Amino acid sequence: MSLGSKKNSGQHEADGAVLVLGGRSEIGLEIATRLAPGRTIVLAARRSGDLVAERQALLDAGASGVECVEFDADDLESHEDLLRSVVTTHGPVSVTILAFGILGDQARAERDARHAVAVVHTDYVAQINVLTHLATLLRAQGSGRIVVFSSVAGVRVRRANYVYGSAKAGLDGFASGLGDALHGSGVALMLVRPGFVIGRMTEGMSAAPMSSTPAQVADAVVRGLRRGSARVWVPGRLRPVFFVMRLLPQALWRRMPR
């Protein structure tokens, strides 16, 4: 199914606004750039007034308009009002991309409980809060696609990054269940499981095998949206690899690098 081939409540999905929660995210901006022509893009981030270059890049990519709004992922109480305002002002919102998150410092998290909780709060708790409010609003709208970023780190959690991986494992399970709950509502959730992504978040780290770039992840996401996919692995060959990885004995698995 192409992104604009199915009507929901009299609206073509390709006609609606695109909301990027995490307006500085390299992956989020790459996706928005590909979806920009003829659309309104809403970039939600802290210090939204500083998103001058990001806004101009999307206008140059053909967006009909770009609005930058304040969004603090860790301020749970603010989420509902923000999402309601975006839907009211720019609805129908056709695609919402949850592009916020932190990698954290695994070594620090093993010593510092506050840091471990901060990683899990942003990468799991905040995402659940956003998704629950968003699903309610989109159900009322009767249409919309939600893009959620899990990770292969959450498919089977490794000792090398178990704090981040545990948050992604929880998010993967929640998003999978929410996607099933949304079936038949006109709203669909696409769960994306990238491997190691070479970018700002992983700067200074050695790239893992089968790494990808933000542009490659964005290409896969847009293809998935056009096909109506429920699951997207990036790159796709990670899916059979992790099918095998799940079968490794724990004694071997705990030695696996990030």
Side-chain angles (χ1 to χ4, degrees):
M1 182 187 76
S2 69
L3 191 55
S5 65
K6 182 179 179 180
K7 290 185 178 181
N8 288 304
S9 300
Q11 294 286 343
H12 288 282
E13 286 189 347
D15 293 338
V18 175
L19 170 61
V20 182
L21 295 164
R24 288 185 178 81
S25 160
E26 291 173 283
I27 293 174
L29 288 167
E30 289 280 0
I31 298 168
T33 298
R34 287 154 176 73
L35 300 178
R39 286 176 154 183
T40 296
I41 309 291
V42 181
L43 298 179
R46 287 180 292 182
R47 305 181 308 281
S48 60
D50 296 339
L51 296 172
V52 177
E54 292 84 352
R55 179 178 183 276
Q56 188 58 54
L58 290 169
L59 289 172
D60 291 344
S64 59
V66 180
E67 182 177 354
C68 302
V69 298
E70 281 296 310
F71 169 66
D72 182 346
D74 291 321
D75 183 5
L76 304 184
E77 294 300 318
S78 69
H79 294 174
E80 183 177 14
D81 287 344
L82 167 68
L83 293 168
R84 192 174 297 278
S85 174
V86 171
V87 170
T88 299
T89 304
H90 300 289
V93 174
S94 64
V95 181
T96 303
I97 304 156
L98 276 68
F100 63 91
I102 59 174
L103 185 60
D105 183 327
Q106 174 66 32
R108 178 184 170 190
E110 292 184 26
R111 310 184 303 269
D112 181 351
R114 289 185 179 179
H115 183 62
V117 170
V119 173
V120 173
H121 189 273
T122 302
D123 291 346
Y124 179 58
V125 176
Q127 304 257 352
I128 287 175
N129 198 63
V130 166
L131 284 167
T132 302
H133 288 305
L134 181 62
T136 299
L137 291 168
L138 294 183
R139 278 191 184 104
Q141 178 180 281
S143 65
R145 301 294 300 276
I146 305 171
V147 179
V148 178
F149 285 96
S150 176
S151 168
V152 297
V155 174
R156 184 176 180 185
V157 177
R158 284 164 281 180
R159 185 265 176 270
N161 63 347
Y162 67 79
V163 175
Y164 173 80
S166 68
K168 288 298 187 181
L171 178 60
D172 195 289
F174 183 88
S176 295
L178 177 59
D180 288 340
L182 290 170
H183 182 73
S185 69
V187 183
L189 185 149
M190 188 171 76
L191 184 59
V192 185
R193 294 177 178 139
F196 189 97
V197 180
I198 301 167
R200 286 196 304 264
M201 183 180 282
T202 57
E203 189 173 355
M205 297 170 59
S206 298
M210 292 183 281
S211 297
S212 56
T213 65
Q216 289 170 325
V217 175
D219 286 341
V221 167
V222 172
R223 282 196 303 270
L225 288 170
R226 288 177 176 152
R227 293 171 179 171
S229 302
R231 302 285 185 276
V232 174
W233 294 71
V234 188
R237 61 186 180 275
L238 279 173
R239 183 173 186 172
V241 167
F242 267 81
F243 177 81
V244 175
M245 291 284 198
R246 285 172 168 168
L247 304 178
L248 284 180
Q250 191 64 31
L252 292 177
W253 183 253
R254 71 170 57 99
R255 299 174 189 170
M256 294 291 291
R258 179 182 294 272

